[in-house]
Amino acid sequence: MANYHPIIRGRCADPNYSKNPGHEQVPPTLLIPSGPWDEHPPPPTDTTYTAPSGNIATYTLPAAIVGEKYYQYTGAITQYGIFVYNSAISKPEWLEITQVEGMLEIKGIPPQTGNFTIILEVTLPNTDNSEWDGSYKVQITYELLVVKELKVEYPKTDINVVIGESFNLIPKISSPGNYDCGFDGEVPDNLVIDSSTGKISGKFTKSGTYKVSVIFGDAYQTKTISLTFNVSEKLSITYPDITAIVGEPLFIQPTIEGGEPGPKEFKVAPSKDHRHYDHKEVDSRYDHHFDDPLPSFLNSIPGLPGLVLNYSNGTIAGIPLKPENTSLKIECIDKTQMASTSVRIYILGKLKMRGHLHEQEVGRHFAFTPHTTGGIPADYHFSYTCEKELPKGLSFDTKDGRISGVCETPVHDFRITIICTDANQVASLDVVLNVIHHENVHHGHRHHHDERRRTREEKTEKRK
């Protein structure tokens, strides 16, 4: 007995089936009439079926984000083949739909969240069935969910850190659903991220620039955040203790280590309004021409007249005008760090000696102590020099420079240089010792008085 096979009618939407005749299954879009086919094939008029009508398919589109451009390029096809888009029965106003050959372009910018149903009227392709001839219109539904944007904001994306210092970087996150996060690509071994909060922590052991990408994602969207870590050595600034002398030039530079290369700024802390120093207050011996005001990069130091701070390199310079014992806090700032240090400034008065040794009388005790000012009194040490030894009966005190005693013989024009030193300065005073007999003392004084009178008379004559 001969075997008969069914006549298969319909249109296959998958072109791969026509290229693979060995398929064991019939494509789902092809329809096989029911009935036993072993012996009696059905008449051709029995292979018809009911044509589709109404909504024939419902599709879910990828979610859209409020305020962001939405664009989908999806196939214009159903189980009955490629359709032709006619019009939208319903859709959001902001959504634009066009067809390009066998594809639908769906685009727009959603202004609000929500679930949107899009119903399109389309025309199905013709078939061999007489009921499909001509334009056969049906409906297709698309479901579109619009959600809020996943927002991730770190305090900074260009982060400055210092070698060896721990840090925590915590973002602000808003998401329409549950999210997780992690690093994208290679990262330094010392960085870790909390996948539930996005917190990045760690510390760096080497200087350099490190770029890191972090990916955040929920059920609808993903965000990639790029971070740059600028790692530098710790900035430090130091000054030596400064001991200066009133009226003598001073120039002290700091030692600066670490920090970012390039310009830095220096200032006295706490910050005060600085003024350019009036050149009239500066000693005339300062080797700077003050025909113009101080350059703009020099700021006077409050409480230390005559001294300035160079805010571009930290130099302390000038000529101090008065004694002072104080400390300054100076800050050094570059584009990533700030360092500060305290510097002790001890300004000493100029070490000076003055005094006059009058004529003394043979056999009578006398004492002469020079008047000494400036320097460090606690460190004073006195000494003397002269062509010969001190006359017999006289002594010298190294604590205060006093010459005292009883001279038993006359002394004429005996020159003595008294010297005072401290830790920083040296001063000297030249005196002349004359020791005469008692009967000549009055005569000597009268002679001195006569000399002074003659000098006054000479000056009066010149004025005339």
Side-chain angles (χ1 to χ4, degrees):
M1 181 179 293
N3 291 328
Y4 296 90
H5 299 282
I7 298 173
I8 302 175
R9 294 179 180 274
R11 179 169 295 181
C12 181
D14 188 350
N16 291 326
Y17 279 96
S18 63
K19 298 177 183 178
N20 189 1
H23 249 288
E24 297 179 355
Q25 295 182 351
V26 176
T29 55
L30 300 186
L31 305 178
I32 303 176
S34 61
W37 306 112
D38 293 339
E39 299 181 3
H40 305 286
T45 55
D46 294 335
T47 61
T48 61
Y49 52 88
T50 304
S53 62
N55 183 77
I56 64 169
T58 300
Y59 301 103
T60 301
L61 293 171
I65 310 300
V66 170
E68 291 189 1
K69 290 182 179 180
Y70 181 75
Y71 182 86
Q72 289 297 321
Y73 196 59
T74 184
I77 190 169
T78 71
Q79 61 178 332
Y80 303 106
I82 296 176
F83 61 76
V84 176
Y85 167 57
N86 298 325
S87 62
I89 297 175
S90 67
K91 72 174 183 66
E93 292 182 358
W94 52 267
L95 201 62
E96 179 183 342
I97 302 174
T98 57
Q99 185 169 7
V100 180
E101 296 181 349
M103 306 296 290
L104 283 185
E105 286 186 342
I106 303 174
K107 56 187 178 181
I109 301 177
Q112 63 187 45
T113 61
N115 289 289
F116 297 90
T117 300
I118 305 163
I119 302 176
L120 307 182
E121 181 188 81
V122 301
T123 300
L124 295 178
N126 293 335
T127 69
D128 293 337
N129 190 293
S130 60
E131 294 187 29
W132 289 56
D133 292 341
S135 297
Y136 197 83
K137 296 180 179 180
V138 294
Q139 297 174 6
I140 297 177
T141 300
Y142 291 91
E143 299 290 346
L144 176 60
L145 173 65
V146 179
V147 298
K148 292 182 178 180
E149 178 187 6
L150 168 63
K151 292 184 178 181
V152 181
E153 184 179 359
Y154 280 95
K156 294 181 179 179
T157 56
D158 195 38
I159 305 106
N160 299 313
V161 296
V162 177
I163 289 178
E165 291 187 358
S166 299
F167 66 90
N168 293 309
L169 201 61
I170 303 175
K172 293 181 180 179
I173 303 173
S174 62
S175 172
N178 295 324
Y179 67 90
D180 57 13
C181 61
F183 291 124
D184 181 25
E186 295 184 0
V187 295
D189 294 337
N190 50 334
L191 290 189
V192 294
I193 187 169
D194 187 321
S195 61
S196 62
T197 65
K199 173 184 174 182
I200 299 175
S201 58
K203 61 182 178 181
F204 289 86
T205 57
K206 294 182 179 180
S207 61
T209 300
Y210 301 86
K211 295 186 179 295
V212 176
S213 293
V214 185
I215 294 182
F216 290 79
D218 58 20
Y220 312 107
Q221 56 195 303
T222 59
K223 291 282 186 180
T224 300
I225 310 297
S226 296
L227 304 174
T228 300
F229 291 90
N230 304 302
V231 185
S232 59
E233 295 182 3
K234 188 173 181 62
L235 176 66
S236 67
I237 175 175
T238 56
Y239 287 86
D241 285 344
I242 298 173
T243 300
I245 299 170
V246 170
E248 295 188 3
L250 171 69
F251 188 86
I252 301 294
Q253 292 179 304
T255 299
I256 303 166
E257 296 180 347
E260 289 289 328
K264 295 175 175 58
E265 181 182 355
F266 299 81
K267 63 180 182 179
V268 177
S271 179
K272 296 181 180 180
D273 292 333
H274 297 304
R275 64 180 177 86
H276 294 310
Y277 211 78
D278 186 351
H279 68 273
K280 293 181 180 179
E281 298 178 56
V282 180
D283 193 286
S284 60
R285 286 171 290 178
Y286 185 34
D287 59 349
H288 183 86
H289 297 290
F290 286 102
D291 297 331
D292 299 315
L294 289 177
S296 59
F297 55 83
L298 298 179
N299 289 325
S300 64
I301 300 177
L304 293 173
L307 296 185
V308 295
L309 174 69
N310 186 323
Y311 75 75
S312 65
N313 61 23
T315 299
I316 297 174
I319 295 180
L321 302 179
K322 67 175 184 178
E324 187 64 72
N325 186 3
T326 187
S327 292
L328 291 179
K329 183 178 181 182
I330 297 179
E331 295 178 348
C332 174
I333 304 166
D334 64 16
K335 65 181 182 180
T336 64
Q337 300 183 58
M338 189 277 285
S340 64
T341 186
S342 292
V343 53
R344 176 182 172 273
I345 298 181
Y346 190 11
I347 300 175
L348 306 174
K350 184 75 174 177
L351 183 60
K352 295 180 180 180
M353 299 175 66
R354 66 178 184 270
H356 179 73
L357 182 57
H358 298 290
E359 289 180 344
Q360 304 299 325
E361 184 178 349
V362 172
R364 296 193 63 176
H365 184 274
F366 77 94
F368 167 74
T369 303
H371 183 65
T372 308
T373 58
I376 306 175
D379 292 344
Y380 284 171
H381 175 77
F382 292 87
S383 60
Y384 72 93
T385 61
C386 55
E387 294 181 359
K388 301 178 182 179
E389 294 292 329
L390 282 178
K392 187 176 180 180
L394 300 184
S395 64
F396 183 84
D397 192 333
T398 58
K399 293 182 179 180
D400 56 11
R402 183 176 60 176
I403 300 174
S404 62
V406 177
C407 192
E408 298 294 346
T409 58
V411 176
H412 179 68
D413 291 339
F414 189 86
R415 299 184 177 276
I416 305 171
T417 299
I418 303 173
I419 303 168
C420 177
T421 62
D422 63 8
N424 305 281
Q425 303 180 64
V426 177
S428 63
L429 175 67
D430 292 326
V431 295
V432 178
L433 175 64
N434 286 290
V435 182
I436 61 178
H437 289 288
H438 173 71
E439 59 272 14
N440 296 326
V441 172
H442 178 71
H443 173 75
H445 281 295
R446 186 177 61 187
H447 176 74
H448 179 66
H449 175 74
D450 291 342
E451 286 292 329
R452 291 179 62 187
R453 180 175 56 77
R454 283 195 295 270
T455 301
R456 288 197 301 270
E457 290 176 352
E458 289 175 357
K459 290 182 179 180
T460 302
E461 289 296 326
K462 288 181 180 180
R463 284 198 295 271
K464 291 180 179 180

